[in-house]
Amino acid sequence: DTGVSQDPRHKITKRGQNVTFRCDPISEHNRLYWYRQTLGQGPEFLTYFQNEAQLEKSRLLSDRFSAERPKGSFSTLEIQRTEQGDSAMYLCASTMGDLKTQYFGPGTRLLVL
Amino acid sequence: DAKTTQPPSMDCAEGRAANLPCNHSTISGNEYVYWYRQIHSQGPQYIIHGLKNNETNEMASLIITEDRKSSTLILPHATLRDTAVYYCIAPQISGTYKYIFGTGTRLKVLA
């Protein structure tokens, strides 16, 4: 257990539905990352927060995706109008200050039917 | 980010040392090398990192060549629980520090 938690751990939804995932980073960590991992591939960067500011978004993050980190603590990732191609593991990681070691949560596995 | 290349798979006998190589020939002088592993269906787990000198912790040793163009992760006495995908990463030193993962090395420890 790294101290990063994610909820839910698994989500099955029907195409076209909206889903929201939550990440609780290690409490003193001000940097938070979201990654997506499809079967057989390494994780791919989606977006990055420093405190509450979203400072970078990948081109993978289409208009249907939105992420927030309202008080610089937990973060949410919402996918609107889900598509089957959104099926993946969504990973959250956190770190602090100038440290580069990211600590990953267990991930949320999404299946879109 | 420095591009890293790793062999797609390796086998290792239980109790023997597992040596996992990584090439990062375009790494900058002040970019660290990080190693993570991912056991099936779990999030990546941090193992070790280094800049220039060799490093050792309770999980593994990291050997970085003098020119820093490659490194080797050593698991001294591999167990079945070390079966996982191992990723070598060299994140950029400024900006977001985002990780660029490759496909890693799938290590299978054989009984």
Side-chain angles (χ1 to χ4, degrees):
Chain A
D1 184 2
T2 62
V4 180
S5 61
Q6 292 188 246
D7 184 71
R9 295 291 309 277
H10 302 273
K11 179 71 176 179
I12 299 175
T13 190
K14 293 182 179 178
R15 186 164 49 106
Q17 298 295 304
N18 299 344
V19 295
T20 300
F21 310 141
R22 177 180 171 125
C23 169
D24 286 272
I26 295 170
S27 60
E28 64 269 24
H29 283 187
N30 62 341
R31 295 172 179 258
L32 186 146
Y33 303 81
W34 286 96
Y35 293 85
R36 180 173 71 185
Q37 185 175 26
T38 54
L39 205 60
Q41 302 298 313
E44 297 172 290
F45 169 78
L46 289 179
T47 191
Y48 160 72
F49 289 86
Q50 183 167 325
N51 299 310
E52 66 276 7
Q54 187 175 19
L55 297 184
E56 185 171 342
K57 293 193 291 186
S58 162
R59 286 173 293 177
L60 294 175
L61 216 64
S62 75
D63 292 346
R64 297 183 297 105
F65 287 71
S66 63
E68 294 182 340
R69 194 181 182 199
K71 294 181 181 178
S73 57
F74 72 93
S75 176
T76 58
L77 178 68
E78 180 183 17
I79 309 175
Q80 296 182 327
R81 305 180 303 281
T82 52
E83 302 173 355
Q84 288 183 323
D86 297 331
S87 295
M89 169 89 91
Y90 291 84
L91 293 159
C92 173
S94 70
T95 188
M96 179 176 67
D98 290 336
L99 300 178
K100 302 171 194 64
T101 303
Q102 295 183 22
Y103 294 93
F104 285 81
T108 294
R109 186 171 294 280
L110 173 67
L111 178 61
V112 182
L113 301 176
Chain B
D1 288 29
K3 178 178 173 59
T4 60
T5 56
Q6 300 176 252
S9 64
M10 293 181 65
D11 290 342
C12 177
E14 188 178 21
R16 305 298 293 268
N19 298 294
L20 292 92
C22 177
N23 287 321
H24 32 80
S25 58
T26 59
I27 196 170
S28 297
N30 48 5
E31 288 178 341
Y32 286 76
V33 178
Y34 279 77
W35 283 84
Y36 284 76
R37 72 181 183 185
Q38 189 171 28
I39 296 169
H40 183 61
S41 295
Q42 298 181 21
Q45 176 190 22
Y46 166 76
I47 301 173
I48 198 167
H49 73 283
L51 182 62
K52 296 180 181 178
N53 300 321
N54 298 337
E55 302 288 343
T56 295
N57 63 20
E58 65 278 4
M59 290 183 68
S61 294
L62 175 60
I63 309 297
I64 302 174
T65 58
E66 192 169 343
D67 63 9
R68 301 207 337 112
K69 293 185 177 181
S70 65
S71 60
T72 300
L73 179 75
I74 301 172
L75 308 178
H77 306 286
T79 71
L80 297 178
R81 284 180 292 185
D82 293 322
T83 293
V85 178
Y86 288 76
Y87 295 101
C88 166
I89 304 163
Q92 61 188 49
I93 60 166
S94 60
T96 64
Y97 304 158
K98 64 187 178 188
Y99 286 175
I100 306 298
F101 289 82
T103 51
T105 296
R106 185 173 297 276
L107 175 70
K108 184 182 291 186
V109 180
L110 305 172

